Amino acid sequence: GGGLCIAGLWLLTALSLGWASDDGQAFIEVVRVAGYTGLFALVVLASPTGSARSWLIGLAIGLVVVAALALGSRLEPALPGGDHEIESFLASARGRLSYPIGYWNALGATMALGTVLLTWLGARAETRRGRALAIGALPAVLLTLHLTVSRGGIGAAAVGLAVLLALGPARVRLAGGLALALAGGAALVGLTELRSPLTDSPGTAVAEFGGDEILLATLIICPLVGLARYTSDRPLARLAFPGAATRILLVVLAFLALAGAAAADPVSRFEEFKSVPPPGANVETHLESGSGSGRYQFWSAALDAFVHEPITGIGAGAYEAWWNQHGSIGRVLRDAHSLFFEMLGELGVIGLLLIASFLGLAVMYGWRRRAGGSPAGVTEVALALLAAGAFSAAIDWTWELPAAFGPVVLAVALLTGPATLRRAPVAGPAGGADGTAPGATAPGRSFGWGVATLLAGWVAVWTAGVLFLTEVKLDESRSAVDRGDLAGGAQDATDASTLQPWAAEPRLQLSLVEERAGNLPAARDAIGEAIDRAPDDWSLWYVAARIEGKVGDDVAAVEAYLRAQSLNPRASVFGGDERRREITGQGRRPQGGSPGRGSADGTEP
């Protein structure tokens, strides 16, 4: 069922090429969903019965490595990495740990998943040493999460841990190991807060000295926490609460949570959520802020798109153009910062039902298998991972980042595939009545699914290859232009347009190269072909206005300029009649440049 849902979403995304406003952006979405479909199929088909533990341990190790790379890049600037690139074009990113994923909220989301996995391993690892190592690594993961300054990441960790503790089993061991790790993590966070240059001015000499101190503290505290977990292993194993007491405690905690929510004045909190902080808001107070950083406006625009086209949506990848024209605040934006709102706006109610069914069926399967008793709590932790990942995707654009959403797809595949089933002993040499072992798939059916998966895999590889080669050619074109090789740049842009004849970006690049070379008729033709493929992209019309002005067609130049302005009325490049005359050739004509596609995101999640 889950496979059919994600494959159906892939098909719907591909079909939306027929009504999306930008076929190139829609194709990128096709490649993304194809990747997730392939990951799901790989995990399901490559997982023997009862193999979920191996997948989860591997994922946990990978996330610890990510935490080590991220933490090392902040504490020791001499190590590879750093966040200088994102800070150079997005001021609000300064001080927030983003490496190696490139976005602080995505790194926070992955650290939330790592927190859930290590907490589970701290109680359910097969050896005492493994349980100690898991809890010993957790303070470093928690420090990494703190340095991202990601409210969404902290919220996802809270959701995942709540689900893990609620479902159990071994709640006492889970809670005991988590308490030790939280104590160690709190110590590291407190020491880091005393060294403010690590977040205020990373990369400076003062910050580097503070980083050495925190690194030393981490190397001391993490082993101490692991040692504490090792020595407390037997007492935690013997400690247990009666089932009735546990249920009463959960009810009390739920009551306290509801009381706290009521005392927080939800009406005023909602008003604060709708507010938009000014660009460059204080990072230090960000964790205490209740502002949605524009999410209310982003989600409202997605809902407006849904109302406009409720069944099929406006098309995959079309949210950016919709936001430019209909958004309510002046933010450069590509995504709706919510998987579910973006699906609703871009692919309508059908797309939302497909992604909701993909996740919901995993919950249903997991609940059933949990009732049957899953080994070592693997079903429970997979459900916790799904809850944490779905929370992150609901409030941010982690769907677009495989490093953050890939583990969610993995969890769905484990819950719906054979990996979370119990291994059953084979009754005899022949196994079941059809000659297969219990839980295995009959040869004919397995062959059919294998052929279907192979074909889907080839399609996914082809689409990803086309996208990759196109980007390579576009990069080569830009590099050639920077070297002054305009002929080579034009040829590379032409090659890119051959690879993706439906995309606008290669033709935009060709137009810019021809414009710089002084071949205005060719530039005019190329930008016209780009507009045909993405008629709602304001930047294409803006470039067209400039080229028409250079050609001398003032009427066409003004029309193109006004069209660009109508598609993005809040863009800062539109500065009234004087600016219009300058761009269209009715005044001083600029010699180059274009507004770009605005891939940077000015929000402060």
Side-chain angles (χ1 to χ4, degrees), residues 308-343:
H308 182 70
E309 293 289 347
I311 305 300
T312 60
I314 57 176
Y319 178 83
E320 180 183 6
W322 179 271
W323 169 261
N324 287 335
Q325 188 172 6
H326 303 283
S328 56
I329 57 176
R331 294 285 179 88
V332 178
L333 196 66
R334 175 162 290 181
D335 308 292
H337 281 63
S338 171
L339 167 61
F340 305 109
F341 280 106
E342 188 162 321
M343 283 292 172

PDB file of all heavy atoms in Angstrom, residues 308-343:
ATOM      1  N   HIS A 308      -7.753  27.931  -5.621  1.00  0.00           N
ATOM      2  CA  HIS A 308      -7.750  28.252  -7.046  1.00  0.00           C
ATOM      3  C   HIS A 308      -7.871  26.994  -7.900  1.00  0.00           C
ATOM      4  O   HIS A 308      -8.597  26.978  -8.899  1.00  0.00           O
ATOM      5  CB  HIS A 308      -6.463  29.008  -7.389  1.00  0.00           C
ATOM      6  CG  HIS A 308      -6.356  29.433  -8.820  1.00  0.00           C
ATOM      7  ND1 HIS A 308      -7.140  30.424  -9.364  1.00  0.00           N
ATOM      8  CD2 HIS A 308      -5.552  28.992  -9.819  1.00  0.00           C
ATOM      9  CE1 HIS A 308      -6.827  30.594 -10.636  1.00  0.00           C
ATOM     10  NE2 HIS A 308      -5.868  29.727 -10.941  1.00  0.00           N
ATOM     11  N   GLU A 309      -7.142  25.920  -7.518  1.00  0.00           N
ATOM     12  CA  GLU A 309      -7.182  24.647  -8.251  1.00  0.00           C
ATOM     13  C   GLU A 309      -7.266  23.505  -7.242  1.00  0.00           C
ATOM     14  O   GLU A 309      -6.257  22.878  -6.904  1.00  0.00           O
ATOM     15  CB  GLU A 309      -5.937  24.482  -9.135  1.00  0.00           C
ATOM     16  CG  GLU A 309      -5.834  25.455 -10.287  1.00  0.00           C
ATOM     17  CD  GLU A 309      -6.856  25.158 -11.386  1.00  0.00           C
ATOM     18  OE1 GLU A 309      -7.461  24.074 -11.352  1.00  0.00           O
ATOM     19  OE2 GLU A 309      -7.032  26.016 -12.266  1.00  0.00           O
ATOM     20  N   PRO A 310      -8.459  23.222  -6.700  1.00  0.00           N
ATOM     21  CA  PRO A 310      -8.559  22.282  -5.582  1.00  0.00           C
ATOM     22  C   PRO A 310      -8.286  20.822  -5.934  1.00  0.00           C
ATOM     23  O   PRO A 310      -7.870  20.056  -5.064  1.00  0.00           O
ATOM     24  CB  PRO A 310     -10.003  22.465  -5.099  1.00  0.00           C
ATOM     25  CG  PRO A 310     -10.734  22.980  -6.297  1.00  0.00           C
ATOM     26  CD  PRO A 310      -9.760  23.806  -7.052  1.00  0.00           C
ATOM     27  N   ILE A 311      -8.529  20.401  -7.149  1.00  0.00           N
ATOM     28  CA  ILE A 311      -8.395  18.984  -7.495  1.00  0.00           C
ATOM     29  C   ILE A 311      -6.964  18.631  -7.852  1.00  0.00           C
ATOM     30  O   ILE A 311      -6.352  17.747  -7.238  1.00  0.00           O
ATOM     31  CB  ILE A 311      -9.348  18.605  -8.651  1.00  0.00           C
ATOM     32  CG1 ILE A 311     -10.791  18.986  -8.295  1.00  0.00           C
ATOM     33  CG2 ILE A 311      -9.241  17.106  -8.936  1.00  0.00           C
ATOM     34  CD1 ILE A 311     -11.309  18.305  -7.046  1.00  0.00           C
ATOM     35  N   THR A 312      -6.420  19.296  -8.830  1.00  0.00           N
ATOM     36  CA  THR A 312      -5.078  18.956  -9.321  1.00  0.00           C
ATOM     37  C   THR A 312      -3.997  19.881  -8.799  1.00  0.00           C
ATOM     38  O   THR A 312      -2.808  19.575  -8.933  1.00  0.00           O
ATOM     39  CB  THR A 312      -5.051  19.003 -10.854  1.00  0.00           C
ATOM     40  OG1 THR A 312      -5.399  20.337 -11.295  1.00  0.00           O
ATOM     41  CG2 THR A 312      -6.049  18.019 -11.444  1.00  0.00           C
ATOM     42  N   GLY A 313      -4.374  21.024  -8.205  1.00  0.00           N
ATOM     43  CA  GLY A 313      -3.367  21.970  -7.765  1.00  0.00           C
ATOM     44  C   GLY A 313      -2.810  22.780  -8.921  1.00  0.00           C
ATOM     45  O   GLY A 313      -3.172  22.595 -10.091  1.00  0.00           O
ATOM     46  N   ILE A 314      -1.897  23.670  -8.611  1.00  0.00           N
ATOM     47  CA  ILE A 314      -1.319  24.549  -9.632  1.00  0.00           C
ATOM     48  C   ILE A 314      -0.141  23.902 -10.346  1.00  0.00           C
ATOM     49  O   ILE A 314       0.420  24.491 -11.273  1.00  0.00           O
ATOM     50  CB  ILE A 314      -0.873  25.889  -9.010  1.00  0.00           C
ATOM     51  CG1 ILE A 314       0.130  25.657  -7.876  1.00  0.00           C
ATOM     52  CG2 ILE A 314      -2.090  26.660  -8.499  1.00  0.00           C
ATOM     53  CD1 ILE A 314       0.691  26.940  -7.262  1.00  0.00           C
ATOM     54  N   GLY A 315       0.245  22.703  -9.936  1.00  0.00           N
ATOM     55  CA  GLY A 315       1.336  21.997 -10.600  1.00  0.00           C
ATOM     56  C   GLY A 315       2.578  21.931  -9.739  1.00  0.00           C
ATOM     57  O   GLY A 315       2.883  22.860  -8.973  1.00  0.00           O
ATOM     58  N   ALA A 316       3.299  20.835  -9.839  1.00  0.00           N
ATOM     59  CA  ALA A 316       4.517  20.643  -9.050  1.00  0.00           C
ATOM     60  C   ALA A 316       5.529  21.745  -9.343  1.00  0.00           C
ATOM     61  O   ALA A 316       5.733  22.139 -10.494  1.00  0.00           O
ATOM     62  CB  ALA A 316       5.129  19.276  -9.358  1.00  0.00           C
ATOM     63  N   GLY A 317       6.164  22.249  -8.300  1.00  0.00           N
ATOM     64  CA  GLY A 317       7.190  23.275  -8.448  1.00  0.00           C
ATOM     65  C   GLY A 317       6.662  24.656  -8.749  1.00  0.00           C
ATOM     66  O   GLY A 317       7.450  25.570  -8.993  1.00  0.00           O
ATOM     67  N   ALA A 318       5.337  24.861  -8.705  1.00  0.00           N
ATOM     68  CA  ALA A 318       4.748  26.141  -9.105  1.00  0.00           C
ATOM     69  C   ALA A 318       4.526  27.084  -7.928  1.00  0.00           C
ATOM     70  O   ALA A 318       4.063  28.211  -8.131  1.00  0.00           O
ATOM     71  CB  ALA A 318       3.421  25.907  -9.831  1.00  0.00           C
ATOM     72  N   TYR A 319       4.835  26.642  -6.720  1.00  0.00           N
ATOM     73  CA  TYR A 319       4.552  27.507  -5.565  1.00  0.00           C
ATOM     74  C   TYR A 319       5.362  28.789  -5.614  1.00  0.00           C
ATOM     75  O   TYR A 319       4.863  29.856  -5.239  1.00  0.00           O
ATOM     76  CB  TYR A 319       4.845  26.769  -4.254  1.00  0.00           C
ATOM     77  CG  TYR A 319       4.619  27.634  -3.034  1.00  0.00           C
ATOM     78  CD1 TYR A 319       3.346  27.791  -2.513  1.00  0.00           C
ATOM     79  CD2 TYR A 319       5.675  28.311  -2.420  1.00  0.00           C
ATOM     80  CE1 TYR A 319       3.125  28.595  -1.398  1.00  0.00           C
ATOM     81  CE2 TYR A 319       5.462  29.120  -1.320  1.00  0.00           C
ATOM     82  CZ  TYR A 319       4.195  29.258  -0.814  1.00  0.00           C
ATOM     83  OH  TYR A 319       3.979  30.074   0.276  1.00  0.00           O
ATOM     84  N   GLU A 320       6.602  28.728  -6.061  1.00  0.00           N
ATOM     85  CA  GLU A 320       7.445  29.930  -6.088  1.00  0.00           C
ATOM     86  C   GLU A 320       6.807  31.028  -6.932  1.00  0.00           C
ATOM     87  O   GLU A 320       6.725  32.192  -6.502  1.00  0.00           O
ATOM     88  CB  GLU A 320       8.834  29.593  -6.634  1.00  0.00           C
ATOM     89  CG  GLU A 320       9.768  30.790  -6.692  1.00  0.00           C
ATOM     90  CD  GLU A 320      11.115  30.460  -7.296  1.00  0.00           C
ATOM     91  OE1 GLU A 320      11.298  29.334  -7.780  1.00  0.00           O
ATOM     92  OE2 GLU A 320      11.993  31.352  -7.288  1.00  0.00           O
ATOM     93  N   ALA A 321       6.372  30.675  -8.126  1.00  0.00           N
ATOM     94  CA  ALA A 321       5.742  31.669  -8.991  1.00  0.00           C
ATOM     95  C   ALA A 321       4.436  32.184  -8.378  1.00  0.00           C
ATOM     96  O   ALA A 321       4.111  33.375  -8.471  1.00  0.00           O
ATOM     97  CB  ALA A 321       5.477  31.072 -10.375  1.00  0.00           C
ATOM     98  N   TRP A 322       3.677  31.281  -7.739  1.00  0.00           N
ATOM     99  CA  TRP A 322       2.429  31.699  -7.097  1.00  0.00           C
ATOM    100  C   TRP A 322       2.713  32.675  -5.956  1.00  0.00           C
ATOM    101  O   TRP A 322       2.031  33.693  -5.807  1.00  0.00           O
ATOM    102  CB  TRP A 322       1.683  30.471  -6.592  1.00  0.00           C
ATOM    103  CG  TRP A 322       0.389  30.810  -5.895  1.00  0.00           C
ATOM    104  CD1 TRP A 322       0.217  31.080  -4.576  1.00  0.00           C
ATOM    105  CD2 TRP A 322      -0.899  30.937  -6.500  1.00  0.00           C
ATOM    106  NE1 TRP A 322      -1.090  31.370  -4.302  1.00  0.00           N
ATOM    107  CE2 TRP A 322      -1.806  31.289  -5.476  1.00  0.00           C
ATOM    108  CE3 TRP A 322      -1.383  30.788  -7.799  1.00  0.00           C
ATOM    109  CZ2 TRP A 322      -3.158  31.492  -5.715  1.00  0.00           C
ATOM    110  CZ3 TRP A 322      -2.739  30.974  -8.037  1.00  0.00           C
ATOM    111  CH2 TRP A 322      -3.605  31.327  -7.006  1.00  0.00           C
ATOM    112  N   TRP A 323       3.725  32.361  -5.161  1.00  0.00           N
ATOM    113  CA  TRP A 323       4.075  33.239  -4.047  1.00  0.00           C
ATOM    114  C   TRP A 323       4.526  34.608  -4.555  1.00  0.00           C
ATOM    115  O   TRP A 323       4.153  35.649  -3.994  1.00  0.00           O
ATOM    116  CB  TRP A 323       5.166  32.605  -3.194  1.00  0.00           C
ATOM    117  CG  TRP A 323       5.756  33.560  -2.195  1.00  0.00           C
ATOM    118  CD1 TRP A 323       6.918  34.258  -2.303  1.00  0.00           C
ATOM    119  CD2 TRP A 323       5.176  33.938  -0.941  1.00  0.00           C
ATOM    120  NE1 TRP A 323       7.115  35.043  -1.202  1.00  0.00           N
ATOM    121  CE2 TRP A 323       6.060  34.863  -0.352  1.00  0.00           C
ATOM    122  CE3 TRP A 323       4.013  33.582  -0.264  1.00  0.00           C
ATOM    123  CZ2 TRP A 323       5.799  35.442   0.893  1.00  0.00           C
ATOM    124  CZ3 TRP A 323       3.767  34.154   0.978  1.00  0.00           C
ATOM    125  CH2 TRP A 323       4.643  35.075   1.549  1.00  0.00           C
ATOM    126  N   ASN A 324       5.355  34.625  -5.580  1.00  0.00           N
ATOM    127  CA  ASN A 324       5.833  35.898  -6.118  1.00  0.00           C
ATOM    128  C   ASN A 324       4.678  36.810  -6.511  1.00  0.00           C
ATOM    129  O   ASN A 324       4.725  38.023  -6.305  1.00  0.00           O
ATOM    130  CB  ASN A 324       6.741  35.661  -7.323  1.00  0.00           C
ATOM    131  CG  ASN A 324       8.097  35.110  -6.931  1.00  0.00           C
ATOM    132  OD1 ASN A 324       8.566  35.317  -5.811  1.00  0.00           O
ATOM    133  ND2 ASN A 324       8.734  34.386  -7.834  1.00  0.00           N
ATOM    134  N   GLN A 325       3.627  36.216  -7.069  1.00  0.00           N
ATOM    135  CA  GLN A 325       2.511  37.016  -7.555  1.00  0.00           C
ATOM    136  C   GLN A 325       1.466  37.295  -6.477  1.00  0.00           C
ATOM    137  O   GLN A 325       0.878  38.376  -6.443  1.00  0.00           O
ATOM    138  CB  GLN A 325       1.838  36.304  -8.738  1.00  0.00           C
ATOM    139  CG  GLN A 325       0.782  37.144  -9.435  1.00  0.00           C
ATOM    140  CD  GLN A 325       0.270  36.491 -10.701  1.00  0.00           C
ATOM    141  OE1 GLN A 325       0.626  35.355 -10.997  1.00  0.00           O
ATOM    142  NE2 GLN A 325      -0.558  37.193 -11.449  1.00  0.00           N
ATOM    143  N   HIS A 326       1.244  36.329  -5.580  1.00  0.00           N
ATOM    144  CA  HIS A 326       0.128  36.438  -4.647  1.00  0.00           C
ATOM    145  C   HIS A 326       0.545  36.509  -3.182  1.00  0.00           C
ATOM    146  O   HIS A 326      -0.333  36.647  -2.319  1.00  0.00           O
ATOM    147  CB  HIS A 326      -0.813  35.237  -4.819  1.00  0.00           C
ATOM    148  CG  HIS A 326      -1.339  35.075  -6.207  1.00  0.00           C
ATOM    149  ND1 HIS A 326      -2.344  35.860  -6.724  1.00  0.00           N
ATOM    150  CD2 HIS A 326      -1.000  34.219  -7.212  1.00  0.00           C
ATOM    151  CE1 HIS A 326      -2.611  35.496  -7.959  1.00  0.00           C
ATOM    152  NE2 HIS A 326      -1.799  34.495  -8.284  1.00  0.00           N
ATOM    153  N   GLY A 327       1.838  36.378  -2.877  1.00  0.00           N
ATOM    154  CA  GLY A 327       2.272  36.406  -1.480  1.00  0.00           C
ATOM    155  C   GLY A 327       1.978  37.734  -0.814  1.00  0.00           C
ATOM    156  O   GLY A 327       1.801  38.769  -1.476  1.00  0.00           O
ATOM    157  N   SER A 328       1.938  37.706   0.513  1.00  0.00           N
ATOM    158  CA  SER A 328       1.519  38.896   1.261  1.00  0.00           C
ATOM    159  C   SER A 328       2.668  39.661   1.898  1.00  0.00           C
ATOM    160  O   SER A 328       2.467  40.761   2.407  1.00  0.00           O
ATOM    161  CB  SER A 328       0.510  38.490   2.342  1.00  0.00           C
ATOM    162  OG  SER A 328       1.051  37.490   3.182  1.00  0.00           O
ATOM    163  N   ILE A 329       3.874  39.103   1.916  1.00  0.00           N
ATOM    164  CA  ILE A 329       5.020  39.793   2.490  1.00  0.00           C
ATOM    165  C   ILE A 329       6.188  39.696   1.518  1.00  0.00           C
ATOM    166  O   ILE A 329       6.243  38.806   0.676  1.00  0.00           O
ATOM    167  CB  ILE A 329       5.421  39.210   3.864  1.00  0.00           C
ATOM    168  CG1 ILE A 329       5.728  37.718   3.754  1.00  0.00           C
ATOM    169  CG2 ILE A 329       4.325  39.453   4.889  1.00  0.00           C
ATOM    170  CD1 ILE A 329       6.217  37.098   5.056  1.00  0.00           C
ATOM    171  N   GLY A 330       7.120  40.618   1.672  1.00  0.00           N
ATOM    172  CA  GLY A 330       8.236  40.687   0.737  1.00  0.00           C
ATOM    173  C   GLY A 330       9.370  39.761   1.113  1.00  0.00           C
ATOM    174  O   GLY A 330      10.405  40.201   1.610  1.00  0.00           O
ATOM    175  N   ARG A 331       9.195  38.476   0.921  1.00  0.00           N
ATOM    176  CA  ARG A 331      10.240  37.489   1.169  1.00  0.00           C
ATOM    177  C   ARG A 331      10.502  36.706  -0.109  1.00  0.00           C
ATOM    178  O   ARG A 331       9.555  36.324  -0.809  1.00  0.00           O
ATOM    179  CB  ARG A 331       9.823  36.519   2.266  1.00  0.00           C
ATOM    180  CG  ARG A 331       9.683  37.156   3.648  1.00  0.00           C
ATOM    181  CD  ARG A 331      11.049  37.425   4.258  1.00  0.00           C
ATOM    182  NE  ARG A 331      10.933  38.062   5.563  1.00  0.00           N
ATOM    183  CZ  ARG A 331      10.821  37.403   6.702  1.00  0.00           C
ATOM    184  NH1 ARG A 331      10.768  36.089   6.701  1.00  0.00           N
ATOM    185  NH2 ARG A 331      10.751  38.041   7.849  1.00  0.00           N
ATOM    186  N   VAL A 332      11.784  36.485  -0.401  1.00  0.00           N
ATOM    187  CA  VAL A 332      12.147  35.604  -1.504  1.00  0.00           C
ATOM    188  C   VAL A 332      11.918  34.177  -1.042  1.00  0.00           C
ATOM    189  O   VAL A 332      12.457  33.758  -0.025  1.00  0.00           O
ATOM    190  CB  VAL A 332      13.614  35.821  -1.928  1.00  0.00           C
ATOM    191  CG1 VAL A 332      13.986  34.860  -3.047  1.00  0.00           C
ATOM    192  CG2 VAL A 332      13.832  37.259  -2.359  1.00  0.00           C
ATOM    193  N   LEU A 333      11.112  33.432  -1.784  1.00  0.00           N
ATOM    194  CA  LEU A 333      10.656  32.149  -1.275  1.00  0.00           C
ATOM    195  C   LEU A 333      10.480  31.169  -2.417  1.00  0.00           C
ATOM    196  O   LEU A 333       9.991  31.528  -3.490  1.00  0.00           O
ATOM    197  CB  LEU A 333       9.310  32.345  -0.553  1.00  0.00           C
ATOM    198  CG  LEU A 333       8.841  31.226   0.361  1.00  0.00           C
ATOM    199  CD1 LEU A 333       9.766  31.084   1.552  1.00  0.00           C
ATOM    200  CD2 LEU A 333       7.427  31.510   0.838  1.00  0.00           C
ATOM    201  N   ARG A 334      10.854  29.926  -2.184  1.00  0.00           N
ATOM    202  CA  ARG A 334      10.651  28.876  -3.180  1.00  0.00           C
ATOM    203  C   ARG A 334       9.684  27.803  -2.693  1.00  0.00           C
ATOM    204  O   ARG A 334       8.979  27.203  -3.496  1.00  0.00           O
ATOM    205  CB  ARG A 334      11.991  28.229  -3.550  1.00  0.00           C
ATOM    206  CG  ARG A 334      11.874  27.047  -4.491  1.00  0.00           C
ATOM    207  CD  ARG A 334      13.187  26.710  -5.167  1.00  0.00           C
ATOM    208  NE  ARG A 334      13.551  27.738  -6.127  1.00  0.00           N
ATOM    209  CZ  ARG A 334      14.647  27.690  -6.885  1.00  0.00           C
ATOM    210  NH1 ARG A 334      15.486  26.677  -6.770  1.00  0.00           N
ATOM    211  NH2 ARG A 334      14.911  28.656  -7.740  1.00  0.00           N
ATOM    212  N   ASP A 335       9.631  27.566  -1.381  1.00  0.00           N
ATOM    213  CA  ASP A 335       8.812  26.491  -0.836  1.00  0.00           C
ATOM    214  C   ASP A 335       7.840  27.042   0.205  1.00  0.00           C
ATOM    215  O   ASP A 335       8.095  28.081   0.819  1.00  0.00           O
ATOM    216  CB  ASP A 335       9.704  25.424  -0.191  1.00  0.00           C
ATOM    217  CG  ASP A 335      10.788  24.953  -1.144  1.00  0.00           C
ATOM    218  OD1 ASP A 335      10.441  24.301  -2.134  1.00  0.00           O
ATOM    219  OD2 ASP A 335      11.963  25.258  -0.900  1.00  0.00           O
ATOM    220  N   ALA A 336       6.776  26.303   0.445  1.00  0.00           N
ATOM    221  CA  ALA A 336       5.739  26.730   1.386  1.00  0.00           C
ATOM    222  C   ALA A 336       6.103  26.436   2.836  1.00  0.00           C
ATOM    223  O   ALA A 336       5.317  26.727   3.735  1.00  0.00           O
ATOM    224  CB  ALA A 336       4.420  26.049   1.046  1.00  0.00           C
ATOM    225  N   HIS A 337       7.276  25.863   3.096  1.00  0.00           N
ATOM    226  CA  HIS A 337       7.695  25.521   4.455  1.00  0.00           C
ATOM    227  C   HIS A 337       6.715  24.573   5.129  1.00  0.00           C
ATOM    228  O   HIS A 337       6.507  24.643   6.346  1.00  0.00           O
ATOM    229  CB  HIS A 337       7.896  26.788   5.290  1.00  0.00           C
ATOM    230  CG  HIS A 337       9.193  27.481   5.011  1.00  0.00           C
ATOM    231  ND1 HIS A 337       9.489  28.007   3.782  1.00  0.00           N
ATOM    232  CD2 HIS A 337      10.275  27.727   5.799  1.00  0.00           C
ATOM    233  CE1 HIS A 337      10.695  28.560   3.823  1.00  0.00           C
ATOM    234  NE2 HIS A 337      11.191  28.389   5.021  1.00  0.00           N
ATOM    235  N   SER A 338       6.129  23.695   4.381  1.00  0.00           N
ATOM    236  CA  SER A 338       5.286  22.633   4.918  1.00  0.00           C
ATOM    237  C   SER A 338       4.994  21.661   3.799  1.00  0.00           C
ATOM    238  O   SER A 338       4.453  22.051   2.749  1.00  0.00           O
ATOM    239  CB  SER A 338       3.975  23.187   5.474  1.00  0.00           C
ATOM    240  OG  SER A 338       3.078  22.132   5.797  1.00  0.00           O
ATOM    241  N   LEU A 339       5.324  20.401   4.010  1.00  0.00           N
ATOM    242  CA  LEU A 339       5.056  19.381   3.001  1.00  0.00           C
ATOM    243  C   LEU A 339       3.569  19.308   2.685  1.00  0.00           C
ATOM    244  O   LEU A 339       3.176  19.249   1.516  1.00  0.00           O
ATOM    245  CB  LEU A 339       5.557  18.026   3.513  1.00  0.00           C
ATOM    246  CG  LEU A 339       5.102  16.782   2.737  1.00  0.00           C
ATOM    247  CD1 LEU A 339       5.596  16.831   1.301  1.00  0.00           C
ATOM    248  CD2 LEU A 339       5.592  15.518   3.449  1.00  0.00           C
ATOM    249  N   PHE A 340       2.736  19.352   3.703  1.00  0.00           N
ATOM    250  CA  PHE A 340       1.309  19.121   3.502  1.00  0.00           C
ATOM    251  C   PHE A 340       0.620  20.324   2.851  1.00  0.00           C
ATOM    252  O   PHE A 340      -0.219  20.163   1.958  1.00  0.00           O
ATOM    253  CB  PHE A 340       0.660  18.755   4.834  1.00  0.00           C
ATOM    254  CG  PHE A 340       1.338  17.593   5.493  1.00  0.00           C
ATOM    255  CD1 PHE A 340       2.106  17.761   6.640  1.00  0.00           C
ATOM    256  CD2 PHE A 340       1.253  16.324   4.948  1.00  0.00           C
ATOM    257  CE1 PHE A 340       2.759  16.699   7.236  1.00  0.00           C
ATOM    258  CE2 PHE A 340       1.898  15.240   5.532  1.00  0.00           C
ATOM    259  CZ  PHE A 340       2.646  15.434   6.675  1.00  0.00           C
ATOM    260  N   PHE A 341       0.974  21.531   3.270  1.00  0.00           N
ATOM    261  CA  PHE A 341       0.402  22.711   2.624  1.00  0.00           C
ATOM    262  C   PHE A 341       0.897  22.828   1.178  1.00  0.00           C
ATOM    263  O   PHE A 341       0.137  23.209   0.287  1.00  0.00           O
ATOM    264  CB  PHE A 341       0.751  23.970   3.413  1.00  0.00           C
ATOM    265  CG  PHE A 341      -0.114  24.200   4.608  1.00  0.00           C
ATOM    266  CD1 PHE A 341       0.368  23.970   5.884  1.00  0.00           C
ATOM    267  CD2 PHE A 341      -1.421  24.629   4.471  1.00  0.00           C
ATOM    268  CE1 PHE A 341      -0.425  24.175   7.001  1.00  0.00           C
ATOM    269  CE2 PHE A 341      -2.231  24.838   5.575  1.00  0.00           C
ATOM    270  CZ  PHE A 341      -1.743  24.610   6.842  1.00  0.00           C
ATOM    271  N   GLU A 342       2.171  22.510   0.970  1.00  0.00           N
ATOM    272  CA  GLU A 342       2.695  22.611  -0.393  1.00  0.00           C
ATOM    273  C   GLU A 342       2.074  21.568  -1.305  1.00  0.00           C
ATOM    274  O   GLU A 342       1.743  21.861  -2.463  1.00  0.00           O
ATOM    275  CB  GLU A 342       4.220  22.466  -0.373  1.00  0.00           C
ATOM    276  CG  GLU A 342       4.860  22.739  -1.720  1.00  0.00           C
ATOM    277  CD  GLU A 342       6.344  23.023  -1.604  1.00  0.00           C
ATOM    278  OE1 GLU A 342       6.762  23.696  -0.658  1.00  0.00           O
ATOM    279  OE2 GLU A 342       7.079  22.564  -2.486  1.00  0.00           O
ATOM    280  N   MET A 343       1.883  20.351  -0.819  1.00  0.00           N
ATOM    281  CA  MET A 343       1.203  19.326  -1.609  1.00  0.00           C
ATOM    282  C   MET A 343      -0.215  19.761  -1.943  1.00  0.00           C
ATOM    283  O   MET A 343      -0.689  19.587  -3.072  1.00  0.00           O
ATOM    284  CB  MET A 343       1.172  18.001  -0.850  1.00  0.00           C
ATOM    285  CG  MET A 343       2.472  17.240  -0.866  1.00  0.00           C
ATOM    286  SD  MET A 343       2.852  16.628  -2.533  1.00  0.00           S
ATOM    287  CE  MET A 343       4.512  16.006  -2.261  1.00  0.00           C
TER     288      MET A 343
END
